[in-house]
């Protein structure tokens, strides 16, 4: 796992104290609010309000036109098709609107495009199918704002279109009876950050005429789609998710209960974080590996038994999704092991006929997390088209990087942290070259991944009272993440495997205080620390209810050697990258004979190093990032070591090895004019 920079938030403690007293809230919670930019009385009052005021749906432009046309279709029994999307947001939005229109007596069905065959949004293919089915009115949810040409085609077929969407608006609105979008500049005073299901909910409120009744009916669907789409949990979204969680945890939602049962979480009271972990991935999985119709069938099931069966199908889809994602990730690790030079790319670009498009984005995110670099995963189909997804690190705008290569692409879209794209497979090598040239030119020093930490904390404050005080800030999600705390100078007492060896449990101690924590997705073999080592840990805290009692649960987000110097590490890493790119001739990267000897003696004493480069760097004091990189390369060239992914093995040698005459060190000496 790539080393990350810890970024500790700052806050006005005096202002936090004022808020604590004025609103009678825990001082720690007040500090966290201020550190997150919620500091005015109005902001704090709105954030803490147990009931959120929902704006008038008719403040959204064209809402009156949408309602009038839909009511006309219901009155005249014109066939209506709700046109959704294959992700969690689009599925819940389609289910919500379908259920409401069915209850209102409409002749209504729904259409969800295939991710693999049709892609996102309205297509000409789908328009023809809907015309053949007798559809007169199409209502989009979570899509349609970019369908300018498709809307014209729909009109030419004699059908009409109502668009509800939450994505950014282009240069022109599509031709439609109504275009309802919170980002329209001619809206009234509306909340802008709704998910697609949130906009569909607004339409439902406008059609039905009562927001509270609609909230009672559909809060679960709105919450699932809102959390699943990772929109900011601020403003109206907080109220929608709170209401949805309350309904789900009351046991009043057959679909959610069935999903919890399938996930093995039937007895858990879900938070927004729990929803994002147990429910949303299973809903998304249907559209990724099978048909998203399964998910709509779950949410529109008339009885619990049917819901349980559909949820079990989604659980199987989710397991398949995990397998496909892992296959891609492991194939990339194997590529890097066989050809370490690939790791030098600023942007990782991989393409294969074996990859599944539905999991490309998830695999790209995992690769980005592992290597701390932007990643693009492309799936090549039988027609020679490479399509897939990109994910990025904070500070590197992957949409702009992709746009820089626009002439090589058939289509692309996205935002700073994620993008989708397609291109002829023959263009992939040139695309890889161009996007890496752009990255090197735009970012001589590559942006780094960060761990955002709310504050440093003494382990003596880790208790259930802390967890209780944090509940005031829930629900947590995008724009309001779970608090992360930094614990320093913990002495490891023991490290034990957990979850069939997939995770580890640590027992640590500081000044007599015992701290027990779990680190997920880290095996004992991958963990570079042992009993007696001193570490710093970034952690999240929660409570775990077991056999009638609450227990403190501490999850490690990141663990590193105590007292490391972030600035030194990243400065040296930048110096190496600029040297490797030919931008500078900084001789701090050259490993002298003494440096090489120190590194080799350390490795020889270990026999094998299996914890990766960064852990080795922090185990060797007084050696720069670049020196270690070039020393390891020279060792391999001279037959002293062999490297396989994160494992460095010391090889048996006979006779003396002249390391300074290895190709790499000879080249460095020539470039730096060293004798």
């Amino acid at each position: 796992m790539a080393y990350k920079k810890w970024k500790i938030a700052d806050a006005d403690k005096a202002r936090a104290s004022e808020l604590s007293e004025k609103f009678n809230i825990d001082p720690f919670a007040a500090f966290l609010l201020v550190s997150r930019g919620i500091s005015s009385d109005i902001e704090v009052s709105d954030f803490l309000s147990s009931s959120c005021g929902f704006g008038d749906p008719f403040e959204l432009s064209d809402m009156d036109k949408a309602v009038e046309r839909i009511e006309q279709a219901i009155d005249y029994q014109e066939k209506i098709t709700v046109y959704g999307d294959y992700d969690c947001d689009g599925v819940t939005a389609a289910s919500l609107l379908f259920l409401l229109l069915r209850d209102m007596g409409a002749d209504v069905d729904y259409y969800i495009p295939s991710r693999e065959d049709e892609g996102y949004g309205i297509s000409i293919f789908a328009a023809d199918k809907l015309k053949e089915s007798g559809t007169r009115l199409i209502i989009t949810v979570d899509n349609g704002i970019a369908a300018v040409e498709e809307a014209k085609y729909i009109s030419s077929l004699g059908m009409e279109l109502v668009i509800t969407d939450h994505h950014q608006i282009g240069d022109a609105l599509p031709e439609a009876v109504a275009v309802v979008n919170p980002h329209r500049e001619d809206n009234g005073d509306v909340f802008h950050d709704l998910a697609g299901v949130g906009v569909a909910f607004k339409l439902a409120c406008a059609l039905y005429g009562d927001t509270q009744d609609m909230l009672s009916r559909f809060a679960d669907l709105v919450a699932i789609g809102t959390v699943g789409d990772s929109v900011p949990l601020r403003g109206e979204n907080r109220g929608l998710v709170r209401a949805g969680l309350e309904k789900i945890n009351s046991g009043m939602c057959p679909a959610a209960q069935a999903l919890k049962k399938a996930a093995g979480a039937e007895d858990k009271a879900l938070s927004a974080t729990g929803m994002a972990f147990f429910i949303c991935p299973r809903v998304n999985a249907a559209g990724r590996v099978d048909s998203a119709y399964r998910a709509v069938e779950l949410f529109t099931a008339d009885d619990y038994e049917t819901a349980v069966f559909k949820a079990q199908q989604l659980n199987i889809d989710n397991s398949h999704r995990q397998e496909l994602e892992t296959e891609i990730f492991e194939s990339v690790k194997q590529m890097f092991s066989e050809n370490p030079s690939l790791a030098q790319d600023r942007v990782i670009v991989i393409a294969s006929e074996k990859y599944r498009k539905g999991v490309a984005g998830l695999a790209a995110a995992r690769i980005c997390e592992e290597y701390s670099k932007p990643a693009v995963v492309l799936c090549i189909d039988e027609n020679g088209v490479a399509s897939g997804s990109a994910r990025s690190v904070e500070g590197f705008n992957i949409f702009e990087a992709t746009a820089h290569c626009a002439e090589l692409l058939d289509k692309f879209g996205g935002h700073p942290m994620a993008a989708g794209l397609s291109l002829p497979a023959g263009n992939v090598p040139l695309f890889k070259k161009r996007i890496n040239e752009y990255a090197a030119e735009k970012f001589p020093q590559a942006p780094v991944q960060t761990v955002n930490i709310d504050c440093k904390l003494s382990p003596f404050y880790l208790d259930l009272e802390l967890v209780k005080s944090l509940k005031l800030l829930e629900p947590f999600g995008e724009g309001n993440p779970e608090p992360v705390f930094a614990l320093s100078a913990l002495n490891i007492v023991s490290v034990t495997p957990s979850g069939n060896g997939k995770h580890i449990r640590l027992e640590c101690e500081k000044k007599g205080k015992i701290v027990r924590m779990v680190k997920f997705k880290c095996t004992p073999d991958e963990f570079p620390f042992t009993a007696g080592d001193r570490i710093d840990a970034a952690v999240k805290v929660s409570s775990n209810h077991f056999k009638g009692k609450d227990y403190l649960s501490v999850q490690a987000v990141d663990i590193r050697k105590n007292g490391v110097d972030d600035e030194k590490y990243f400065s040296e890493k930048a110096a190496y990258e600029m040297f490797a790119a030919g931008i500078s001739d900084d001789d701090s990267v050259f490993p002298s004979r003494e440096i090489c000897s120190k590194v080799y003696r350390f490795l020889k004493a270990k026999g094998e190093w299996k914890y990766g480069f960064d852990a080795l760097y922090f185990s060797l004091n007084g050696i720069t990032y670049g020196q270690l990189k070039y020393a390891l390369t020279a060792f391999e060239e001279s037959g002293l070591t062999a490297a396989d992914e994160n494992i460095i093995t010391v090889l048996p040698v006979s006779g003396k090895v002249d390391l300074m005459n290895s190709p790499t060190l000879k080249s460095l000496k020539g470039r730096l004019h060293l004798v």
Side-chain angles (χ1 to χ4, degrees):
M1 189 69 71
Y3 181 75
K4 300 172 185 175
K5 188 172 187 176
W6 285 16
K7 185 178 179 182
I8 300 176
D10 194 14
D12 184 339
K13 294 180 181 178
R15 180 56 182 157
S17 180
E18 291 174 8
L19 293 176
S20 173
E21 187 173 340
K22 186 165 190 174
F23 289 91
N24 192 29
I25 59 177
D26 183 89
F28 197 69
F31 177 85
L32 294 179
L33 284 173
V34 174
S35 74
R36 293 170 180 221
I38 304 168
S39 58
S40 73
D41 288 359
I42 293 176
E43 289 172 331
V44 173
S45 179
D46 288 346
F47 190 87
L48 298 178
S49 175
S50 58
S51 60
C52 176
F54 295 104
D56 182 353
F58 286 98
E59 287 292 323
L60 287 159
S61 294
D62 280 3
M63 184 64 82
D64 53 344
K65 297 176 184 176
V67 169
E68 182 181 359
R69 181 64 186 90
I70 293 168
E71 287 178 340
Q72 177 186 321
I74 295 172
D75 290 343
Y76 289 95
Q77 284 295 289
E78 296 175 282
K79 185 174 181 181
I80 302 171
T81 296
V82 178
Y83 196 110
D85 186 30
Y86 39 69
D87 67 2
C88 194
D89 188 15
V91 162
T92 51
S95 301
L96 184 159
L97 204 54
F98 169 78
L99 288 170
L100 175 68
L101 293 174
R102 187 184 67 179
D103 291 349
M104 293 177 71
D107 177 8
V108 61
D109 66 3
Y110 53 84
Y111 186 91
I112 312 292
S114 163
R115 182 191 291 264
E116 293 288 332
D117 300 328
E118 298 173 73
Y120 172 77
I122 304 174
S123 66
I124 301 299
F125 169 80
D128 288 336
K129 284 188 69 174
L130 296 183
K131 175 64 177 177
E132 291 173 10
S133 75
T135 295
R136 294 291 304 277
L137 176 65
I138 300 171
I139 308 173
T140 72
V141 289
D142 192 33
N143 74 94
I145 198 64
V148 175
E149 295 304 317
E150 292 82 358
K152 292 178 181 177
Y153 184 70
I154 286 169
S155 179
S156 74
L157 294 178
M159 295 184 289
E160 291 189 302
L161 184 63
V162 167
I163 292 172
T164 75
D165 199 355
H166 73 122
H167 293 97
Q168 293 293 327
I169 298 171
D171 295 334
L173 293 177
E175 179 182 327
V177 174
V179 178
V180 181
N181 187 306
H183 295 292
R184 285 186 60 163
E185 292 183 356
D186 56 348
N187 284 325
D189 183 17
V190 303
F191 178 68
H192 297 285
D193 290 326
L194 292 167
V197 70
V199 182
F201 175 74
K202 289 284 188 179
L203 176 58
C205 294
L207 281 165
Y208 189 78
D210 191 306
T211 296
Q212 286 305 314
D213 279 358
M214 288 295 92
L215 197 62
S216 298
R217 176 81 169 86
F218 296 120
D220 53 331
L221 287 172
V222 184
I224 292 169
T226 297
V227 170
D229 207 55
S230 298
V231 290
L233 292 192
R234 298 284 182 94
E236 290 189 26
N237 287 340
R238 281 179 63 79
L240 291 169
V241 173
R242 274 178 170 167
L245 287 170
E246 184 176 337
K247 184 177 179 183
I248 289 170
N249 288 326
S250 71
M252 297 169 58
C253 309
Q257 283 300 109
L259 282 167
K260 287 172 65 178
K261 182 176 182 178
E266 191 172 12
D267 298 328
K268 291 182 180 291
L270 289 186
S271 63
T273 305
M275 185 187 294
F277 184 79
F278 290 110
I279 290 183
C280 298
R282 287 166 171 81
V283 177
N284 276 323
R288 293 188 187 282
V289 303
D290 199 289
S291 169
Y293 277 88
R294 284 185 173 184
V296 181
E297 289 163 1
L298 165 65
F299 288 122
T300 58
D302 293 323
D303 58 83
Y304 182 64
E305 289 72 22
T306 301
V308 167
F309 174 70
K310 294 296 179 183
Q312 289 170 342
Q313 288 183 316
L314 297 194
N315 200 49
I316 293 170
D317 286 342
N318 191 51
S319 296
H320 187 203
R321 183 271 303 172
Q322 291 171 325
E323 292 170 0
L324 293 171
E325 179 188 336
T326 299
E327 284 176 11
I328 296 176
F329 181 67
E330 292 299 329
S331 74
V332 172
K333 290 177 69 176
Q334 184 64 31
M335 286 182 209
F336 279 29
S337 175
E338 294 172 354
N339 186 1
S341 65
L342 293 173
Q344 301 302 319
D345 289 347
R346 291 296 189 90
V347 181
I348 298 170
V349 179
I350 58 168
S352 174
E353 295 84 356
K354 298 178 181 179
Y355 297 161
R356 184 77 173 262
K357 186 163 63 174
V359 298
L362 297 174
R366 193 167 170 185
I367 294 164
C368 179
E369 173 75 13
E370 177 73 13
Y371 296 102
S372 197
K373 294 181 177 184
V376 183
V377 176
L378 299 168
C379 315
I380 302 173
D381 65 19
E382 63 276 6
N383 299 315
V385 176
S387 57
S389 299
R391 296 293 185 270
S392 194
V393 298
E394 189 174 341
F396 186 96
N397 190 319
I398 193 65
F399 174 75
E400 288 184 358
T402 305
H404 179 76
C405 310
E407 72 275 11
L408 302 173
L409 308 176
D410 292 331
K411 58 181 180 179
F412 67 95
H415 53 81
M417 294 298 287
L421 64 159
S422 67
L423 67 163
N427 287 358
V428 171
L430 185 54
F431 169 76
K432 178 179 179 178
K433 181 174 182 288
R434 289 271 185 86
I435 200 168
N436 271 282
E437 288 173 345
Y438 169 88
E441 179 183 347
K442 191 83 171 177
F443 300 96
Q445 292 184 226
V448 300
Q449 280 188 311
T450 59
V451 177
N452 292 314
I453 295 173
D454 288 270
C455 67
K456 296 178 180 178
L457 197 67
S458 164
F460 286 91
Y461 286 98
L462 292 179
D463 55 27
L464 289 172
E465 284 301 312
L466 172 63
V467 176
K468 183 179 178 181
S469 71
L470 297 179
K471 288 190 177 295
L472 187 70
L473 308 180
E474 292 183 351
F476 297 123
E478 187 70 23
N480 184 42
E482 283 187 87
V484 176
F485 308 109
L487 309 177
S488 64
L490 300 176
N491 298 305
I492 297 179
V493 177
S494 65
V495 181
T496 55
S498 175
N500 296 319
K502 296 178 182 178
H503 320 298
I504 55 171
R505 292 190 180 278
L506 283 76
E507 182 173 306
C508 302
E509 176 274 338
K510 182 177 181 180
K511 296 182 179 179
K513 171 69 173 179
I514 297 296
V515 178
R516 296 179 179 87
M517 66 182 78
V518 62
K519 180 75 170 74
F520 292 119
K521 296 183 180 178
C522 179
T523 69
D525 284 345
E526 295 169 335
F527 192 59
F529 306 106
T530 59
D533 288 340
R534 181 170 288 189
I535 60 169
D536 296 337
V539 303
K540 295 178 181 178
V541 296
S542 60
S543 62
N544 184 28
H545 192 75
F546 183 68
K547 291 186 177 180
K549 188 176 179 181
D550 289 330
Y551 296 88
L552 178 70
S553 176
V554 182
Q555 176 192 340
V557 176
D558 196 29
I559 295 175
R560 61 190 192 178
K561 184 180 178 181
N562 170 239
V564 300
D565 187 337
D566 271 358
E567 295 305 323
K568 179 176 179 292
Y569 170 87
F570 286 109
S571 174
E572 291 177 2
K573 184 178 182 182
Y576 164 74
E577 290 176 343
M578 293 177 74
F579 184 91
I583 298 172
S584 78
D585 284 324
D586 186 346
D587 62 7
S588 69
V589 302
F590 181 77
S592 66
R593 191 181 303 275
E594 292 74 19
I595 292 291
C596 290
S597 178
K598 181 178 178 180
V599 176
Y600 183 70
R601 285 198 307 270
F602 180 88
L603 292 173
K604 191 173 182 181
K606 298 289 183 180
E608 179 183 77
W609 184 261
K610 55 185 178 182
Y611 307 118
F613 177 86
D614 289 331
L616 179 60
Y617 167 85
F618 288 115
S619 297
L620 293 162
N621 295 320
I623 298 176
T624 71
Y625 187 100
Q627 287 170 343
L628 183 56
K629 279 283 187 182
Y630 285 123
L632 294 177
T633 302
F635 292 165
E636 283 196 74
E637 291 173 346
S638 302
L640 295 175
T641 63
D644 182 8
E645 186 59 24
N646 285 326
I647 301 174
I648 301 171
T649 304
V650 177
L651 302 175
V653 290
S654 57
K656 201 168 184 179
V657 174
D658 187 1
L659 197 64
M660 291 296 118
N661 276 323
S662 64
T664 290
L665 297 191
K666 282 180 68 176
S667 174
L668 287 179
K669 285 193 291 184
R671 177 175 168 181
L672 296 171
H673 308 294
L674 299 174
V675 178

